[in-house]
Amino acid sequence: MTSTLITNIGTLVTNDPSHPGLLGTVEDAAVVIDGSVVTWTGRAAEAPAADRRFDADGRALLPGFVDSHAHLVFAGDRTAEFNARMSGQAYSAGGIRTTVAATRAASDEQLDAQVDRFVREMLRQGTTTVEVKSGYGLTVEDEARALRIAARHTPETTYLGAHVVAPEYADDPAGYVDLVTGKMLDACAPHARWVDVFCERGAFDGDQARAVLTAGIERGLIPRVHANQLSHGPGVQLAVELGAASADHCTHLTDADVAALAGSGTVATLLPGAEFSTRADYPDARRLLDAGATVALSTDCNPGSSFTSSMAFCIAVAVREMGMTPDEAVHAATAGGARALRRTDVGHIAPGARADLLLLDAPSPVHLAYRPGVPLTAAVWRAGIREV
C-alpha cells in the first residue's frame, strides 16, 4: 500500500468529538491515508512523512457525504408529472405506478446503467456512500432483480416491496401484503440489508407496515420506515417501537413523535428535495435538534418527488428552510447519514475510518450553504482512491 499526505488543509471537518465543535474542526490541518483507511489527522506542522503528498491549497476537507435514502433502480421519466405540479396540481403517491410500468419493461442492462450513472453523478458531487432501494418493480421477479442490480453498486440495499400496492392487487391490498411478506421477501432477503415500508395514507397503514417490517426482521433485515411524509400517522412511532435505524421524511410530527425520536436510537432522516419538488411544507429540523434527536439529511433521489442527486443542494435548503445551522446540516449529511446506516467506518475522518474524503473548492464547509448551486467539488477520494 502507498500512503498519501493531504496537507495545507484550511479547515478539516473530522466529526470527531475529541476535536472542538460539532464538526470537530482542525485548522491548518493534514490527513494521512494508507490504502483504504485514514491513519493520521492533525496539524499540518506535525504531520508524519508519507509516500506521496497532495497540497489542498488552503481548501476545506470533509468526510464524503453519506446518502442514506435513494431510489435509483428505475426507468422512465416523470417530467409531465413535475410540470403539472409546478402548474398547480397537488402531489400524491400515485405517480409511483407510472415508474413501475417503465421499470418492469426495462432490461437488466438498462437498469444497471441507470444506477451506475447516478452513483457516478453522486460521486462527482462528493457522495461516497449511498443506500439504494427497490420498490419500482412490485413483483417477485422485479423486486429481486432490482436488489441484485443495486448490490453491484453498494452494500446498502433496501427491500421496499411495500412502496405502494402493486396495480394487480389494487382490489386486494391484503393479498399484496401477503406477497410482500411471503414469496417476495423470500426472493429479496438474500440481496438486501434493510427492509422498508411507505407507511402513509394511499400506501400502507400502520398494521400493514408492522406486518411488513416484522416479517423482514424475522428474515434478518434491519427496519427503516418512510414515515409521516404527507400527513400525521403511525410511521414514526412504529419505527421507534421496532428499533428501526431511521424514520425518513418526518415532515408531520406530533410532540409525542419528536419525543419518541429524541429518546431512541432511530435517526430522523430529512429529505428536503421532496418538499422542494412538491411545494410541500418542509420538516422542522430545529424542533428535532432542540429535542435531542439525531438528524440525517439525504437526497431521496427518485424520478417523481425528488429528482436530485446533490447533497450540497439539500444542505443549502436545510439551512435556508429548515432551521439548521450550516454546521448542523453538514454534520447531518455526513455523520448523520452514517448513523442512519449504522456505519462506524464512514461519515467521519479519524484513524481507522475509511478514507472517504471530499475536498471543497472553498475554504470552509459553510460555503455549501453560502454558495448554493455552485459546483464546489475539487477532489473526492473513496476508500483511499481518488475518484474525482
Side-chain angles (χ1 to χ4, degrees), residues 39-87:
T39 57
W40 185 89
T41 66
R43 297 280 186 180
E46 303 166 359
D51 299 318
R52 295 184 297 195
R53 177 187 176 96
F54 180 93
D55 188 346
D57 196 26
R59 294 173 289 194
L61 188 73
L62 287 66
F65 295 132
V66 181
D67 192 339
S68 61
H69 185 127
H71 305 253
L72 305 184
V73 189
F74 69 87
D77 181 87
R78 284 160 66 181
T79 303
E81 177 188 323
F82 176 80
N83 194 37
R85 282 203 307 273
M86 295 304 102
S87 302

Side-chain angles (χ1 to χ4, degrees), residues 165-176:
V165 174
E168 297 85 354
Y169 287 84
D171 297 325
D172 184 19
Y176 186 66

